Amino acid sequence: MTTDSWINETLYPDWGQRFLVKRELARVQSDFQDIVIFESFSHGRVMLLDGVVQITEADEFVYQEMLTHVPLLAHGECRNVLIIGAGDGGVLRRVLQHRGVQRAVMVEIDGEVIRLAKAHLPSIAGDAWTDPRAVVIVGDGIDYVKRAADASFDAIIVDSTDPIGVGEVLFTDDFYANCARILSPGGLIVNQCGVPAMQADELRETSVRRARFFPHVGAYVAAVPTYVGGFMTLGFAAKQPGLDRVSAETIRVRAEAAGILGSTQYWTPEIHAGAFHLPPYIAKHLPK
Amino acid sequence: MTTDSWINETLYPDWGQRFLVKRELARVQSDFQDIVIFESFSHGRVMLLDGVVQITEADEFVYQEMLTHVPLLAHGECRNVLIIGAGDGGVLRRVLQHRGVQRAVMVEIDGEVIRLAKAHLPSIAGDAWTDPRAVVIVGDGIDYVKRAADASFDAIIVDSTDPIGVGEVLFTDDFYANCARILSPGGLIVNQCGVPAMQADELRETSVRRARFFPHVGAYVAAVPTYVGGFMTLGFAAKQPGLDRVSAETIRVRAEAAGILGSTQYWTPEIHAGAFHLPPYIAKHLPK
């Protein structure tokens, strides 16, 4: 057990963030990755996978709200939602907040992430794990989308790590082709595309790949405090046009009906609509 | 001279960013602060004041564009602009981009910052230093606003450090009272208010203070990669209402006329308008 020492994030070789550690809570080598959970002085509890910050109690709301509420409300009538990754349960909790959602399937490859999140980060998922609409599968997301029925989901949320290590296969042609197949005609997929100021290749390359299987590809931004480096981008791909241009007024009406309005700390209808307006330094990495 | 070692930012005692240093370029103890400039592997050249990142070549455009273009275009007819601080010259350069600006007075207390920025960060200011409309004063901003004539400026841009050390007096009642006095009837002031996820007190306390001297007080956000911690806020105070609600369409027309459109990497008319829509976790710190 480490006490009062620093942990350096190792995402980039030449820049990064560091946390003063109050107490280490878990350090586990799973079949897939190195998992560390510690109590910080600055951000509550923090989970690292292979040395990269995945979630902190202090700011998890930014990423989770934007990764969940934006696609669900942009679509407007999501009943069946597929979540890939997100083993901490935070996305699942936000998906289940939406009154209209009938089924949320979550496929996380690493059961140890779920087990450790339940033990040490229980507030992230709240009571989502026992919601009757939740189907939690410990398994391979690639395999799941390969075997799922055509048009069986309205939205797919990919909460992967960066396209290195265990998350890499979630950025392949094969994966996106199956996602397109299992989405309903009005369906859409979102996935995290990194922080363009540091990882512009990630947005550029995965956007080109999504464009092979979806006619409407874009991205929106969120300023996540501990995904350091300015805006992170969330990649967006849809079968129908216009889901990225729904007005704040319409989003507000949908959020009210869904039971989301007033429950958020980062997301608002105006921030939703504004997040699709990309700074030029980010927009230039998207396919024309 | 340090080679290939890490520099840790010391802004927070328990969290922060670190840079791998390629080469240290300057380390000077001025009459006011400790100034360090180094070449990083990740962000080009970086300037620290008292251990806190002030500017990097890689991302300076975010902060400078948002600190400058937003107030000038929200106002729409700025002729006389006062800049306090900003010794690197980056704000001065952006102010002078605006065709309608007739005079930009910059008051920086620390001549060493200007000297070192000219020597080691010449791209930040470009040729702003020799623009005939620029008046660069090495002196005390508090003293300058005390002695300036009533209604002599349309906009005041305060590019201070945080309200600790040399920058502390730029957040006082006395300073804001004089700013209000020397601004024209349609005038406004902006100043950086830190990163609310880490420094919420800074936004809250300085907003209350601004509200004593200006009837219309608010804030807008920018995601600056190396001011780590999610959105930073830029405080905004105006004598007239509505400057924070100018439509993107109107801003676009003004930016076109000013010669700004197409010159930016972060700022756009849509980002300008959207930046005033604050996430609830930030909005709650503003006066009602």
PDB file of all heavy atoms in Angstrom, chain A residues 24-60:
ATOM      1  N   GLU A  24      -4.010   3.727  -1.596  1.00  0.00           N
ATOM      2  CA  GLU A  24      -4.269   2.819  -2.701  1.00  0.00           C
ATOM      3  C   GLU A  24      -5.317   1.812  -2.260  1.00  0.00           C
ATOM      4  O   GLU A  24      -5.224   1.247  -1.164  1.00  0.00           O
ATOM      5  CB  GLU A  24      -2.980   2.108  -3.103  1.00  0.00           C
ATOM      6  CG  GLU A  24      -3.072   1.472  -4.470  1.00  0.00           C
ATOM      7  CD  GLU A  24      -1.728   0.946  -4.949  1.00  0.00           C
ATOM      8  OE1 GLU A  24      -0.851   1.762  -5.272  1.00  0.00           O
ATOM      9  OE2 GLU A  24      -1.572  -0.292  -4.972  1.00  0.00           O
ATOM     10  N   LEU A  25      -6.318   1.567  -3.122  1.00  0.00           N
ATOM     11  CA  LEU A  25      -7.432   0.682  -2.736  1.00  0.00           C
ATOM     12  C   LEU A  25      -7.367  -0.672  -3.432  1.00  0.00           C
ATOM     13  O   LEU A  25      -7.822  -1.671  -2.888  1.00  0.00           O
ATOM     14  CB  LEU A  25      -8.761   1.362  -3.078  1.00  0.00           C
ATOM     15  CG  LEU A  25      -8.994   2.693  -2.337  1.00  0.00           C
ATOM     16  CD1 LEU A  25     -10.096   3.497  -3.006  1.00  0.00           C
ATOM     17  CD2 LEU A  25      -9.325   2.445  -0.874  1.00  0.00           C
ATOM     18  N   ALA A  26      -6.839  -0.686  -4.638  1.00  0.00           N
ATOM     19  CA  ALA A  26      -6.753  -1.959  -5.359  1.00  0.00           C
ATOM     20  C   ALA A  26      -5.671  -1.848  -6.420  1.00  0.00           C
ATOM     21  O   ALA A  26      -5.475  -0.789  -7.018  1.00  0.00           O
ATOM     22  CB  ALA A  26      -8.091  -2.281  -6.027  1.00  0.00           C
ATOM     23  N   ARG A  27      -4.998  -2.938  -6.629  1.00  0.00           N
ATOM     24  CA  ARG A  27      -4.007  -3.031  -7.708  1.00  0.00           C
ATOM     25  C   ARG A  27      -4.054  -4.467  -8.194  1.00  0.00           C
ATOM     26  O   ARG A  27      -3.612  -5.381  -7.504  1.00  0.00           O
ATOM     27  CB  ARG A  27      -2.613  -2.641  -7.205  1.00  0.00           C
ATOM     28  CG  ARG A  27      -1.519  -2.679  -8.259  1.00  0.00           C
ATOM     29  CD  ARG A  27      -0.179  -2.219  -7.700  1.00  0.00           C
ATOM     30  NE  ARG A  27      -0.146  -0.801  -7.428  1.00  0.00           N
ATOM     31  CZ  ARG A  27       0.253   0.126  -8.320  1.00  0.00           C
ATOM     32  NH1 ARG A  27       0.642  -0.232  -9.527  1.00  0.00           N
ATOM     33  NH2 ARG A  27       0.268   1.399  -7.980  1.00  0.00           N
ATOM     34  N   VAL A  28      -4.655  -4.655  -9.364  1.00  0.00           N
ATOM     35  CA  VAL A  28      -4.956  -5.993  -9.850  1.00  0.00           C
ATOM     36  C   VAL A  28      -4.481  -6.127 -11.299  1.00  0.00           C
ATOM     37  O   VAL A  28      -4.718  -5.241 -12.119  1.00  0.00           O
ATOM     38  CB  VAL A  28      -6.490  -6.245  -9.798  1.00  0.00           C
ATOM     39  CG1 VAL A  28      -6.847  -7.562 -10.494  1.00  0.00           C
ATOM     40  CG2 VAL A  28      -6.990  -6.239  -8.357  1.00  0.00           C
ATOM     41  N   GLN A  29      -3.809  -7.230 -11.579  1.00  0.00           N
ATOM     42  CA  GLN A  29      -3.504  -7.548 -12.971  1.00  0.00           C
ATOM     43  C   GLN A  29      -4.572  -8.524 -13.426  1.00  0.00           C
ATOM     44  O   GLN A  29      -4.583  -9.682 -13.015  1.00  0.00           O
ATOM     45  CB  GLN A  29      -2.101  -8.152 -13.076  1.00  0.00           C
ATOM     46  CG  GLN A  29      -1.690  -8.570 -14.481  1.00  0.00           C
ATOM     47  CD  GLN A  29      -1.530  -7.389 -15.419  1.00  0.00           C
ATOM     48  OE1 GLN A  29      -0.854  -6.417 -15.086  1.00  0.00           O
ATOM     49  NE2 GLN A  29      -2.175  -7.436 -16.587  1.00  0.00           N
ATOM     50  N   SER A  30      -5.514  -8.056 -14.263  1.00  0.00           N
ATOM     51  CA  SER A  30      -6.572  -8.944 -14.748  1.00  0.00           C
ATOM     52  C   SER A  30      -6.063  -9.689 -15.980  1.00  0.00           C
ATOM     53  O   SER A  30      -4.915  -9.530 -16.384  1.00  0.00           O
ATOM     54  CB  SER A  30      -7.817  -8.139 -15.099  1.00  0.00           C
ATOM     55  OG  SER A  30      -7.636  -7.493 -16.342  1.00  0.00           O
ATOM     56  N   ASP A  31      -6.937 -10.460 -16.601  1.00  0.00           N
ATOM     57  CA  ASP A  31      -6.534 -11.150 -17.830  1.00  0.00           C
ATOM     58  C   ASP A  31      -6.296 -10.162 -18.974  1.00  0.00           C
ATOM     59  O   ASP A  31      -5.730 -10.516 -20.003  1.00  0.00           O
ATOM     60  CB  ASP A  31      -7.635 -12.130 -18.263  1.00  0.00           C
ATOM     61  CG  ASP A  31      -7.746 -13.302 -17.306  1.00  0.00           C
ATOM     62  OD1 ASP A  31      -6.790 -13.519 -16.526  1.00  0.00           O
ATOM     63  OD2 ASP A  31      -8.776 -14.000 -17.335  1.00  0.00           O
ATOM     64  N   PHE A  32      -6.776  -8.926 -18.788  1.00  0.00           N
ATOM     65  CA  PHE A  32      -6.736  -7.982 -19.901  1.00  0.00           C
ATOM     66  C   PHE A  32      -5.854  -6.769 -19.671  1.00  0.00           C
ATOM     67  O   PHE A  32      -5.342  -6.175 -20.598  1.00  0.00           O
ATOM     68  CB  PHE A  32      -8.168  -7.511 -20.221  1.00  0.00           C
ATOM     69  CG  PHE A  32      -9.068  -8.638 -20.583  1.00  0.00           C
ATOM     70  CD1 PHE A  32      -9.901  -9.229 -19.637  1.00  0.00           C
ATOM     71  CD2 PHE A  32      -9.058  -9.147 -21.873  1.00  0.00           C
ATOM     72  CE1 PHE A  32     -10.721 -10.290 -19.978  1.00  0.00           C
ATOM     73  CE2 PHE A  32      -9.874 -10.212 -22.222  1.00  0.00           C
ATOM     74  CZ  PHE A  32     -10.714 -10.798 -21.273  1.00  0.00           C
ATOM     75  N   GLN A  33      -5.750  -6.356 -18.400  1.00  0.00           N
ATOM     76  CA  GLN A  33      -5.070  -5.090 -18.155  1.00  0.00           C
ATOM     77  C   GLN A  33      -4.697  -4.951 -16.684  1.00  0.00           C
ATOM     78  O   GLN A  33      -5.146  -5.709 -15.829  1.00  0.00           O
ATOM     79  CB  GLN A  33      -5.968  -3.922 -18.594  1.00  0.00           C
ATOM     80  CG  GLN A  33      -7.362  -3.980 -17.986  1.00  0.00           C
ATOM     81  CD  GLN A  33      -8.429  -3.305 -18.843  1.00  0.00           C
ATOM     82  OE1 GLN A  33      -8.117  -2.483 -19.699  1.00  0.00           O
ATOM     83  NE2 GLN A  33      -9.687  -3.646 -18.610  1.00  0.00           N
ATOM     84  N   ASP A  34      -3.908  -3.916 -16.442  1.00  0.00           N
ATOM     85  CA  ASP A  34      -3.496  -3.564 -15.080  1.00  0.00           C
ATOM     86  C   ASP A  34      -4.501  -2.542 -14.533  1.00  0.00           C
ATOM     87  O   ASP A  34      -4.691  -1.478 -15.106  1.00  0.00           O
ATOM     88  CB  ASP A  34      -2.086  -2.964 -15.171  1.00  0.00           C
ATOM     89  CG  ASP A  34      -1.571  -2.489 -13.830  1.00  0.00           C
ATOM     90  OD1 ASP A  34      -1.683  -3.249 -12.858  1.00  0.00           O
ATOM     91  OD2 ASP A  34      -1.083  -1.348 -13.764  1.00  0.00           O
ATOM     92  N   ILE A  35      -5.157  -2.892 -13.434  1.00  0.00           N
ATOM     93  CA  ILE A  35      -6.212  -2.039 -12.867  1.00  0.00           C
ATOM     94  C   ILE A  35      -5.736  -1.492 -11.527  1.00  0.00           C
ATOM     95  O   ILE A  35      -5.324  -2.251 -10.651  1.00  0.00           O
ATOM     96  CB  ILE A  35      -7.509  -2.846 -12.634  1.00  0.00           C
ATOM     97  CG1 ILE A  35      -7.923  -3.600 -13.899  1.00  0.00           C
ATOM     98  CG2 ILE A  35      -8.635  -1.927 -12.135  1.00  0.00           C
ATOM     99  CD1 ILE A  35      -9.031  -4.638 -13.680  1.00  0.00           C
ATOM    100  N   VAL A  36      -5.799  -0.161 -11.388  1.00  0.00           N
ATOM    101  CA  VAL A  36      -5.436   0.464 -10.112  1.00  0.00           C
ATOM    102  C   VAL A  36      -6.567   1.397  -9.695  1.00  0.00           C
ATOM    103  O   VAL A  36      -7.081   2.168 -10.514  1.00  0.00           O
ATOM    104  CB  VAL A  36      -4.115   1.265 -10.231  1.00  0.00           C
ATOM    105  CG1 VAL A  36      -3.840   2.060  -8.948  1.00  0.00           C
ATOM    106  CG2 VAL A  36      -2.944   0.333 -10.533  1.00  0.00           C
ATOM    107  N   ILE A  37      -6.982   1.313  -8.455  1.00  0.00           N
ATOM    108  CA  ILE A  37      -7.936   2.275  -7.900  1.00  0.00           C
ATOM    109  C   ILE A  37      -7.302   2.873  -6.648  1.00  0.00           C
ATOM    110  O   ILE A  37      -6.759   2.141  -5.809  1.00  0.00           O
ATOM    111  CB  ILE A  37      -9.281   1.607  -7.543  1.00  0.00           C
ATOM    112  CG1 ILE A  37      -9.907   0.978  -8.802  1.00  0.00           C
ATOM    113  CG2 ILE A  37     -10.239   2.630  -6.929  1.00  0.00           C
ATOM    114  CD1 ILE A  37     -11.227   0.265  -8.557  1.00  0.00           C
ATOM    115  N   PHE A  38      -7.316   4.200  -6.585  1.00  0.00           N
ATOM    116  CA  PHE A  38      -6.751   4.852  -5.394  1.00  0.00           C
ATOM    117  C   PHE A  38      -7.630   6.025  -4.981  1.00  0.00           C
ATOM    118  O   PHE A  38      -8.431   6.536  -5.762  1.00  0.00           O
ATOM    119  CB  PHE A  38      -5.304   5.303  -5.641  1.00  0.00           C
ATOM    120  CG  PHE A  38      -5.137   6.352  -6.713  1.00  0.00           C
ATOM    121  CD1 PHE A  38      -5.191   7.705  -6.391  1.00  0.00           C
ATOM    122  CD2 PHE A  38      -4.905   5.987  -8.033  1.00  0.00           C
ATOM    123  CE1 PHE A  38      -5.018   8.678  -7.366  1.00  0.00           C
ATOM    124  CE2 PHE A  38      -4.737   6.953  -9.028  1.00  0.00           C
ATOM    125  CZ  PHE A  38      -4.791   8.297  -8.697  1.00  0.00           C
ATOM    126  N   GLU A  39      -7.452   6.415  -3.757  1.00  0.00           N
ATOM    127  CA  GLU A  39      -8.100   7.607  -3.218  1.00  0.00           C
ATOM    128  C   GLU A  39      -7.120   8.759  -3.408  1.00  0.00           C
ATOM    129  O   GLU A  39      -5.992   8.698  -2.933  1.00  0.00           O
ATOM    130  CB  GLU A  39      -8.385   7.371  -1.725  1.00  0.00           C
ATOM    131  CG  GLU A  39      -9.005   8.521  -0.982  1.00  0.00           C
ATOM    132  CD  GLU A  39     -10.528   8.420  -0.986  1.00  0.00           C
ATOM    133  OE1 GLU A  39     -11.056   7.291  -0.976  1.00  0.00           O
ATOM    134  OE2 GLU A  39     -11.166   9.493  -1.011  1.00  0.00           O
ATOM    135  N   SER A  40      -7.570   9.796  -4.115  1.00  0.00           N
ATOM    136  CA  SER A  40      -6.699  10.958  -4.318  1.00  0.00           C
ATOM    137  C   SER A  40      -7.052  12.040  -3.315  1.00  0.00           C
ATOM    138  O   SER A  40      -8.112  12.001  -2.684  1.00  0.00           O
ATOM    139  CB  SER A  40      -6.866  11.493  -5.736  1.00  0.00           C
ATOM    140  OG  SER A  40      -8.131  12.142  -5.858  1.00  0.00           O
ATOM    141  N   PHE A  41      -6.183  13.033  -3.204  1.00  0.00           N
ATOM    142  CA  PHE A  41      -6.518  14.197  -2.388  1.00  0.00           C
ATOM    143  C   PHE A  41      -7.400  15.175  -3.170  1.00  0.00           C
ATOM    144  O   PHE A  41      -8.172  15.926  -2.589  1.00  0.00           O
ATOM    145  CB  PHE A  41      -5.245  14.921  -1.929  1.00  0.00           C
ATOM    146  CG  PHE A  41      -4.548  14.240  -0.793  1.00  0.00           C
ATOM    147  CD1 PHE A  41      -3.573  13.293  -1.030  1.00  0.00           C
ATOM    148  CD2 PHE A  41      -4.883  14.542   0.526  1.00  0.00           C
ATOM    149  CE1 PHE A  41      -2.924  12.658   0.024  1.00  0.00           C
ATOM    150  CE2 PHE A  41      -4.243  13.912   1.584  1.00  0.00           C
ATOM    151  CZ  PHE A  41      -3.269  12.969   1.329  1.00  0.00           C
ATOM    152  N   SER A  42      -7.280  15.140  -4.489  1.00  0.00           N
ATOM    153  CA  SER A  42      -7.899  16.182  -5.318  1.00  0.00           C
ATOM    154  C   SER A  42      -9.199  15.759  -5.993  1.00  0.00           C
ATOM    155  O   SER A  42     -10.066  16.600  -6.229  1.00  0.00           O
ATOM    156  CB  SER A  42      -6.912  16.618  -6.404  1.00  0.00           C
ATOM    157  OG  SER A  42      -6.477  15.484  -7.146  1.00  0.00           O
ATOM    158  N   HIS A  43      -9.378  14.498  -6.342  1.00  0.00           N
ATOM    159  CA  HIS A  43     -10.474  14.071  -7.214  1.00  0.00           C
ATOM    160  C   HIS A  43     -11.263  12.880  -6.675  1.00  0.00           C
ATOM    161  O   HIS A  43     -11.865  12.139  -7.448  1.00  0.00           O
ATOM    162  CB  HIS A  43      -9.937  13.712  -8.603  1.00  0.00           C
ATOM    163  CG  HIS A  43      -9.457  14.893  -9.402  1.00  0.00           C
ATOM    164  ND1 HIS A  43      -8.244  15.488  -9.190  1.00  0.00           N
ATOM    165  CD2 HIS A  43     -10.050  15.600 -10.399  1.00  0.00           C
ATOM    166  CE1 HIS A  43      -8.097  16.507 -10.023  1.00  0.00           C
ATOM    167  NE2 HIS A  43      -9.172  16.599 -10.759  1.00  0.00           N
ATOM    168  N   GLY A  44     -11.260  12.693  -5.378  1.00  0.00           N
ATOM    169  CA  GLY A  44     -11.920  11.509  -4.854  1.00  0.00           C
ATOM    170  C   GLY A  44     -11.211  10.264  -5.334  1.00  0.00           C
ATOM    171  O   GLY A  44      -9.993  10.269  -5.544  1.00  0.00           O
ATOM    172  N   ARG A  45     -11.978   9.197  -5.542  1.00  0.00           N
ATOM    173  CA  ARG A  45     -11.363   7.947  -5.991  1.00  0.00           C
ATOM    174  C   ARG A  45     -11.121   7.972  -7.497  1.00  0.00           C
ATOM    175  O   ARG A  45     -11.903   8.557  -8.248  1.00  0.00           O
ATOM    176  CB  ARG A  45     -12.246   6.769  -5.596  1.00  0.00           C
ATOM    177  CG  ARG A  45     -12.294   6.654  -4.067  1.00  0.00           C
ATOM    178  CD  ARG A  45     -13.070   5.467  -3.572  1.00  0.00           C
ATOM    179  NE  ARG A  45     -12.921   5.356  -2.117  1.00  0.00           N
ATOM    180  CZ  ARG A  45     -13.320   4.323  -1.400  1.00  0.00           C
ATOM    181  NH1 ARG A  45     -13.908   3.292  -1.994  1.00  0.00           N
ATOM    182  NH2 ARG A  45     -13.140   4.304  -0.101  1.00  0.00           N
ATOM    183  N   VAL A  46     -10.048   7.331  -7.902  1.00  0.00           N
ATOM    184  CA  VAL A  46      -9.593   7.374  -9.293  1.00  0.00           C
ATOM    185  C   VAL A  46      -9.310   5.948  -9.754  1.00  0.00           C
ATOM    186  O   VAL A  46      -8.715   5.173  -9.012  1.00  0.00           O
ATOM    187  CB  VAL A  46      -8.294   8.208  -9.422  1.00  0.00           C
ATOM    188  CG1 VAL A  46      -7.801   8.247 -10.867  1.00  0.00           C
ATOM    189  CG2 VAL A  46      -8.482   9.617  -8.861  1.00  0.00           C
ATOM    190  N   MET A  47      -9.741   5.607 -10.971  1.00  0.00           N
ATOM    191  CA  MET A  47      -9.397   4.300 -11.539  1.00  0.00           C
ATOM    192  C   MET A  47      -8.492   4.477 -12.751  1.00  0.00           C
ATOM    193  O   MET A  47      -8.798   5.253 -13.659  1.00  0.00           O
ATOM    194  CB  MET A  47     -10.634   3.517 -11.954  1.00  0.00           C
ATOM    195  CG  MET A  47     -10.268   2.117 -12.492  1.00  0.00           C
ATOM    196  SD  MET A  47     -11.701   1.012 -12.701  1.00  0.00           S
ATOM    197  CE  MET A  47     -12.562   1.825 -14.031  1.00  0.00           C
ATOM    198  N   LEU A  48      -7.395   3.747 -12.758  1.00  0.00           N
ATOM    199  CA  LEU A  48      -6.474   3.709 -13.894  1.00  0.00           C
ATOM    200  C   LEU A  48      -6.532   2.336 -14.541  1.00  0.00           C
ATOM    201  O   LEU A  48      -6.581   1.327 -13.840  1.00  0.00           O
ATOM    202  CB  LEU A  48      -5.029   3.925 -13.436  1.00  0.00           C
ATOM    203  CG  LEU A  48      -4.645   5.154 -12.612  1.00  0.00           C
ATOM    204  CD1 LEU A  48      -3.158   5.073 -12.245  1.00  0.00           C
ATOM    205  CD2 LEU A  48      -4.912   6.422 -13.383  1.00  0.00           C
ATOM    206  N   LEU A  49      -6.505   2.300 -15.867  1.00  0.00           N
ATOM    207  CA  LEU A  49      -6.310   1.035 -16.591  1.00  0.00           C
ATOM    208  C   LEU A  49      -5.019   1.164 -17.389  1.00  0.00           C
ATOM    209  O   LEU A  49      -4.862   2.131 -18.159  1.00  0.00           O
ATOM    210  CB  LEU A  49      -7.490   0.758 -17.528  1.00  0.00           C
ATOM    211  CG  LEU A  49      -8.860   0.544 -16.863  1.00  0.00           C
ATOM    212  CD1 LEU A  49      -9.920   0.251 -17.936  1.00  0.00           C
ATOM    213  CD2 LEU A  49      -8.824  -0.582 -15.836  1.00  0.00           C
ATOM    214  N   ASP A  50      -4.121   0.250 -17.200  1.00  0.00           N
ATOM    215  CA  ASP A  50      -2.803   0.324 -17.850  1.00  0.00           C
ATOM    216  C   ASP A  50      -2.193   1.713 -17.707  1.00  0.00           C
ATOM    217  O   ASP A  50      -1.622   2.267 -18.669  1.00  0.00           O
ATOM    218  CB  ASP A  50      -2.903  -0.090 -19.325  1.00  0.00           C
ATOM    219  CG  ASP A  50      -3.112  -1.599 -19.493  1.00  0.00           C
ATOM    220  OD1 ASP A  50      -2.797  -2.359 -18.549  1.00  0.00           O
ATOM    221  OD2 ASP A  50      -3.588  -2.014 -20.571  1.00  0.00           O
ATOM    222  N   GLY A  51      -2.347   2.296 -16.534  1.00  0.00           N
ATOM    223  CA  GLY A  51      -1.692   3.574 -16.252  1.00  0.00           C
ATOM    224  C   GLY A  51      -2.425   4.806 -16.748  1.00  0.00           C
ATOM    225  O   GLY A  51      -1.943   5.924 -16.574  1.00  0.00           O
ATOM    226  N   VAL A  52      -3.608   4.622 -17.353  1.00  0.00           N
ATOM    227  CA  VAL A  52      -4.351   5.742 -17.929  1.00  0.00           C
ATOM    228  C   VAL A  52      -5.626   5.988 -17.125  1.00  0.00           C
ATOM    229  O   VAL A  52      -6.388   5.059 -16.851  1.00  0.00           O
ATOM    230  CB  VAL A  52      -4.709   5.459 -19.410  1.00  0.00           C
ATOM    231  CG1 VAL A  52      -5.495   6.628 -20.003  1.00  0.00           C
ATOM    232  CG2 VAL A  52      -3.443   5.187 -20.216  1.00  0.00           C
ATOM    233  N   VAL A  53      -5.872   7.256 -16.768  1.00  0.00           N
ATOM    234  CA  VAL A  53      -7.052   7.598 -15.985  1.00  0.00           C
ATOM    235  C   VAL A  53      -8.318   7.270 -16.766  1.00  0.00           C
ATOM    236  O   VAL A  53      -8.498   7.702 -17.904  1.00  0.00           O
ATOM    237  CB  VAL A  53      -7.066   9.108 -15.634  1.00  0.00           C
ATOM    238  CG1 VAL A  53      -8.376   9.486 -14.946  1.00  0.00           C
ATOM    239  CG2 VAL A  53      -5.882   9.463 -14.748  1.00  0.00           C
ATOM    240  N   GLN A  54      -9.217   6.504 -16.144  1.00  0.00           N
ATOM    241  CA  GLN A  54     -10.489   6.164 -16.768  1.00  0.00           C
ATOM    242  C   GLN A  54     -11.623   6.958 -16.148  1.00  0.00           C
ATOM    243  O   GLN A  54     -12.571   7.332 -16.826  1.00  0.00           O
ATOM    244  CB  GLN A  54     -10.793   4.669 -16.587  1.00  0.00           C
ATOM    245  CG  GLN A  54      -9.749   3.760 -17.175  1.00  0.00           C
ATOM    246  CD  GLN A  54      -9.607   3.925 -18.671  1.00  0.00           C
ATOM    247  OE1 GLN A  54     -10.584   3.913 -19.397  1.00  0.00           O
ATOM    248  NE2 GLN A  54      -8.375   4.110 -19.149  1.00  0.00           N
ATOM    249  N   ILE A  55     -11.540   7.165 -14.865  1.00  0.00           N
ATOM    250  CA  ILE A  55     -12.649   7.800 -14.180  1.00  0.00           C
ATOM    251  C   ILE A  55     -12.168   8.335 -12.840  1.00  0.00           C
ATOM    252  O   ILE A  55     -11.303   7.741 -12.199  1.00  0.00           O
ATOM    253  CB  ILE A  55     -13.795   6.774 -13.993  1.00  0.00           C
ATOM    254  CG1 ILE A  55     -15.117   7.481 -13.772  1.00  0.00           C
ATOM    255  CG2 ILE A  55     -13.512   5.795 -12.881  1.00  0.00           C
ATOM    256  CD1 ILE A  55     -16.299   6.574 -13.997  1.00  0.00           C
ATOM    257  N   THR A  56     -12.699   9.492 -12.461  1.00  0.00           N
ATOM    258  CA  THR A  56     -12.519   9.955 -11.087  1.00  0.00           C
ATOM    259  C   THR A  56     -13.900  10.303 -10.547  1.00  0.00           C
ATOM    260  O   THR A  56     -14.784  10.725 -11.304  1.00  0.00           O
ATOM    261  CB  THR A  56     -11.611  11.205 -10.967  1.00  0.00           C
ATOM    262  OG1 THR A  56     -12.401  12.385 -11.104  1.00  0.00           O
ATOM    263  CG2 THR A  56     -10.485  11.208 -11.987  1.00  0.00           C
ATOM    264  N   GLU A  57     -14.082  10.135  -9.258  1.00  0.00           N
ATOM    265  CA  GLU A  57     -15.379  10.470  -8.661  1.00  0.00           C
ATOM    266  C   GLU A  57     -15.719  11.943  -8.852  1.00  0.00           C
ATOM    267  O   GLU A  57     -16.881  12.310  -8.991  1.00  0.00           O
ATOM    268  CB  GLU A  57     -15.357  10.146  -7.157  1.00  0.00           C
ATOM    269  CG  GLU A  57     -15.413   8.665  -6.856  1.00  0.00           C
ATOM    270  CD  GLU A  57     -15.412   8.389  -5.349  1.00  0.00           C
ATOM    271  OE1 GLU A  57     -14.768   9.152  -4.589  1.00  0.00           O
ATOM    272  OE2 GLU A  57     -16.031   7.391  -4.942  1.00  0.00           O
ATOM    273  N   ALA A  58     -14.701  12.808  -8.872  1.00  0.00           N
ATOM    274  CA  ALA A  58     -14.961  14.252  -8.905  1.00  0.00           C
ATOM    275  C   ALA A  58     -15.506  14.727 -10.235  1.00  0.00           C
ATOM    276  O   ALA A  58     -16.302  15.670 -10.277  1.00  0.00           O
ATOM    277  CB  ALA A  58     -13.683  15.021  -8.563  1.00  0.00           C
ATOM    278  N   ASP A  59     -15.094  14.122 -11.331  1.00  0.00           N
ATOM    279  CA  ASP A  59     -15.487  14.692 -12.626  1.00  0.00           C
ATOM    280  C   ASP A  59     -16.125  13.686 -13.567  1.00  0.00           C
ATOM    281  O   ASP A  59     -16.329  13.998 -14.747  1.00  0.00           O
ATOM    282  CB  ASP A  59     -14.304  15.392 -13.300  1.00  0.00           C
ATOM    283  CG  ASP A  59     -13.263  14.417 -13.851  1.00  0.00           C
ATOM    284  OD1 ASP A  59     -13.272  13.227 -13.464  1.00  0.00           O
ATOM    285  OD2 ASP A  59     -12.441  14.846 -14.671  1.00  0.00           O
ATOM    286  N   GLU A  60     -16.473  12.506 -13.096  1.00  0.00           N
ATOM    287  CA  GLU A  60     -17.041  11.486 -13.989  1.00  0.00           C
ATOM    288  C   GLU A  60     -18.316  11.968 -14.676  1.00  0.00           C
ATOM    289  O   GLU A  60     -18.645  11.534 -15.778  1.00  0.00           O
ATOM    290  CB  GLU A  60     -17.306  10.178 -13.237  1.00  0.00           C
ATOM    291  CG  GLU A  60     -18.217  10.298 -12.013  1.00  0.00           C
ATOM    292  CD  GLU A  60     -19.678   9.989 -12.310  1.00  0.00           C
ATOM    293  OE1 GLU A  60     -19.967   9.249 -13.258  1.00  0.00           O
ATOM    294  OE2 GLU A  60     -20.534  10.527 -11.579  1.00  0.00           O
TER     295      GLU A  60
END
